[in-house]
């Protein structure tokens, strides 16, 4: 596989991972945590696929390899996806707590 194809795979899987992570956040905002977990799993799987290409890219380089803007851009996609997945996981956790608190308040208000 050539550099351009590897970089396109990084962009593809990074974008897919980010998209699934944001779908997880959308579901969590509706308190649909089953769907949120499903989408987070999907995001993680896409990230892992991208990470394999990233590893291949790194291993195929030698001391004469000059990073291109395209290579940096592709690397940025996969690393941004990783950061956003981690942040969204934390946000989903906070939304779980919010839902639990809302339920407790509703219960107190109905008494």
């Amino acid at each position: 596989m050539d550099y351009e194809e590897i970089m396109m795979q990084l962009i593809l899987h990074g974008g897919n991972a980010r998209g699934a992570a944001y779908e997880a956040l959308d579901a969590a905002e509706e308190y649909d945590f089953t769907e949120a977990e499903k989408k987070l799993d999907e995001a993680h799987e896409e990230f892992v696929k991208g990470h394999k290409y990233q590893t291949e890219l790194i291993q195929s380089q030698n001391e004469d390899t000059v990073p291109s803007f395209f290579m940096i851009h592709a690397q940025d996609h996969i690393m941004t996806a990783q950061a956003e997945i981690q942040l969204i996981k934390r946000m989903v956790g906070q939304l779980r707590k919010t839902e639990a608190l809302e339920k407790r308040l509703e219960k107190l208000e109905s008494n």
Side-chain angles (χ1 to χ4, degrees):
M1 190 175 294
D2 66 13
Y3 278 135
E4 285 187 14
E5 190 172 340
I6 291 172
M7 289 180 280
M8 288 304 297
Q9 292 297 319
L10 284 173
I11 292 168
L12 170 75
H13 292 296
N16 289 347
R18 292 175 70 201
Y22 280 100
E23 288 175 9
L25 182 57
D26 290 341
E29 287 174 339
E30 299 294 323
Y31 299 147
D32 184 353
F33 296 109
T34 301
E35 182 67 14
E37 289 302 323
K38 178 182 159 195
K39 289 297 182 178
L40 283 172
D41 288 344
E42 186 180 315
H44 178 74
E45 289 172 17
E46 284 292 328
F47 171 76
V48 169
K49 289 177 187 177
H51 192 264
K52 288 179 183 178
Y53 285 103
Q54 183 183 40
T55 301
E56 186 177 333
L57 178 65
I58 291 167
Q59 290 175 344
S60 67
Q61 293 182 34
N62 60 40
E63 64 275 351
D64 297 326
T65 304
V66 177
S68 67
F69 175 77
F70 188 43
M71 184 184 295
I72 294 165
H73 178 67
Q75 291 280 343
D76 184 52
H77 266 271
I78 199 70
M79 300 315 296
T80 300
Q82 182 183 34
E84 289 179 333
I85 290 168
Q86 294 306 314
L87 180 59
I88 288 171
K89 282 181 181 180
R90 294 183 75 176
M91 293 172 79
V92 168
Q94 290 299 314
L95 286 164
R96 284 181 189 273
K97 291 177 184 179
T98 300
E99 181 193 37
L101 287 171
E102 285 180 6
K103 285 181 179 179
R104 285 177 59 194
L105 282 173
E106 288 172 8
K107 188 175 179 181
L108 288 171
E109 288 173 353
S110 68
N111 288 334

